[in-house]
Amino acid sequence: MPEARSDDVAFVAGEVVAPGDPRIVLEGQWGQQPGLAITVNSGSRISFTFSGTAVQALFDVGGLTTAPHLWVTIDDGSSTLYVVEQPVIELTADVAGPHKVEIVVKDVSEHANRWNPPFECAVVFAGLVLDADTRLRLAGRPGGPRLEFYGDSITQGVRALSAHPESEGADGTKSFAYLTARALGASAYQVGFGRQGIVRTGNGEVPSGLESFGWNFAGSAAERVEEPDLVVLNLGVNDETLSAAQYGEYLRLVRSKYGSSEIVALSPFSGKHASEIEAAVKAADDAKIRYVGTDGWITEADCTDDVHPSVEGHAKIAGHLTEQLTKLLRPAS
């Protein structure tokens, strides 16, 4: 049975495949540098298919003070947690395959510097090493609608598993954003930063939503081949004060980047600043910018700490949001 191991692994000699190779599919917010792909966002994914019995996934961990968490899945097996403290994950199988591998970022710590290089926490993917009998197969690119989610610690999946404040309690794959994208069969960018607001800076040296939008991290512009079909915004709850004008500035920023995308502005799940957000959407006078109120979607009982949704709470939010987005993504008859 295929398995992932990280203990006492030696590098194999073989073909080195760079992250930018078309046989490797990167989904989510990745910054590209020569020989590296870097993400600071939970929910980002790496996937590929190989024929053979062994592949090594390489990560640059130099300088990191806090290890990011990954989920690794091979074929239909269960996901294996990997804390990236060593540079190699060895993927092995008993039979030659083909085998489908998916690596998903469970969490990048919100408390360590993940914005200004050199990072204290980030996933720095350096590619794959294939042994002499292993080949990568060209896989199809993600299909379905293209979605983007921008939010705070809730979008990141902080404290979804428990009230533990570090990565042990966080899981981006349990976030409502990740669940909604999967339910809709969508490819997705999941951008969530703990503590961040529209005007409030986030943890880990992350600037405000107004200053960080359009960037993977400092010095790395977020490039897009195509505009997303739909952008979901869930910022505001961390702002101590927030005016309709300030939220309107954020809407204009998003619209300037994505001229034709549907934009959905969610009210925070606590209801904070809901009236200001709704007023900003109305003032925008844009038929493709919509306000969606989330009142009643969850209660404090659906949270691990009265603020952050639990696994069950995220599932409830995803159910409501999937219903709303399905209406917007449905082709007009």
Side-chain angles (χ1 to χ4, degrees), residues 284-300:
D285 193 25
D286 184 327
K288 299 186 78 173
I289 299 180
R290 305 164 192 265
Y291 170 79
V292 173
T294 64
D295 184 48
W297 284 16
I298 58 170
T299 68
E300 289 183 358

Side-chain angles (χ1 to χ4, degrees), residues 106-332:
K106 173 182 175 285
D107 191 61
V108 174
S109 173
E110 66 167 313
H111 300 295
N113 167 33
R114 56 170 166 164
W115 190 258
N116 295 300
F119 304 108
E120 294 177 339
C121 192
V123 175
V124 184
F125 177 51
L128 305 172
V129 179
L130 314 180
D131 69 18
D133 298 320
T134 301
R135 298 290 182 271
L136 285 187
R137 294 188 167 199
L138 188 64
R141 309 303 294 181
R146 299 178 302 280
L147 306 185
E148 298 196 9
F149 297 84
Y150 294 88
D152 46 42
S153 58
I154 295 177
T155 299
Q156 182 180 337
V158 168
R159 302 195 183 192
L161 302 180
S162 72
H164 195 295
E166 304 296 339
S167 293
E168 288 82 352
D171 191 341
T173 71
K174 303 301 183 186
S175 163
F176 76 91
Y178 191 91
L179 298 177
T180 300
R182 302 286 82 77
L184 293 169
S187 60
Y189 290 75
Q190 182 177 330
V191 182
F193 294 112
R195 189 182 179 271
Q196 189 187 63
I198 297 294
V199 297
R200 185 179 185 179
T201 58
N203 290 327
E205 302 186 18
V206 176
S208 69
L210 280 167
E211 295 174 311
S212 66
F213 183 81
W215 297 90
N216 301 311
F217 44 81
S220 176
E223 304 292 344
R224 300 288 188 267
V225 176
E226 297 179 274
E227 289 189 6
D229 296 301
L230 197 150
V231 181
V232 178
L233 310 176
N234 189 226
L235 281 171
V237 71
N238 289 318
D239 292 295
E240 294 184 10
T241 61
L242 181 66
S243 67
Q246 288 170 323
Y247 197 91
E249 183 181 355
Y250 186 64
L251 289 177
R252 288 191 294 275
L253 176 63
V254 177
R255 174 54 79 215
S256 70
K257 178 78 170 180
Y258 301 134
S260 61
S261 302
E262 294 276 0
I263 299 172
V264 172
L266 298 179
S267 68
F269 305 117
S270 68
K272 187 177 180 181
H273 302 312
S275 60
E276 289 82 2
I277 294 171
E278 185 173 16
V281 171
K282 290 181 179 178
D285 193 25
D286 184 327
K288 299 186 78 173
I289 299 180
R290 305 164 192 265
Y291 170 79
V292 173
T294 64
D295 184 48
W297 284 16
I298 58 170
T299 68
E300 289 183 358
D302 297 309
C303 300
T304 57
D305 59 359
D306 297 333
V307 175
H308 295 89
S310 62
V311 172
E312 293 78 13
H314 276 288
K316 287 184 178 181
I317 294 169
H320 289 290
L321 185 57
T322 299
E323 182 179 352
Q324 293 288 330
L325 300 189
T326 298
K327 300 173 185 177
L328 293 179
L329 294 168
R330 184 180 298 129

Side-chain angles (χ1 to χ4, degrees), residues 25-92:
V25 177
L26 300 177
E27 182 181 343
Q29 191 92 320
W30 292 89
Q32 301 281 347
Q33 296 182 2
L36 299 173
I38 304 168
T39 186
V40 298
N41 290 116
S42 304
S44 298
R45 301 202 292 177
I46 305 164
S47 60
F48 56 90
T49 299
F50 74 95
S51 294
T53 58
V55 175
Q56 291 184 334
L58 306 180
F59 297 89
D60 186 347
V61 298
L64 300 185
T65 61
T66 304
H69 289 199
L70 304 178
W71 288 119
V72 180
T73 307
I74 305 175
D75 298 332
D76 296 322
S78 59
S79 297
T80 300
L81 176 64
Y82 180 65
V83 179
V84 191
E85 297 173 322
Q86 302 296 326
V88 180
I89 297 177
E90 183 170 317
L91 310 169
T92 61

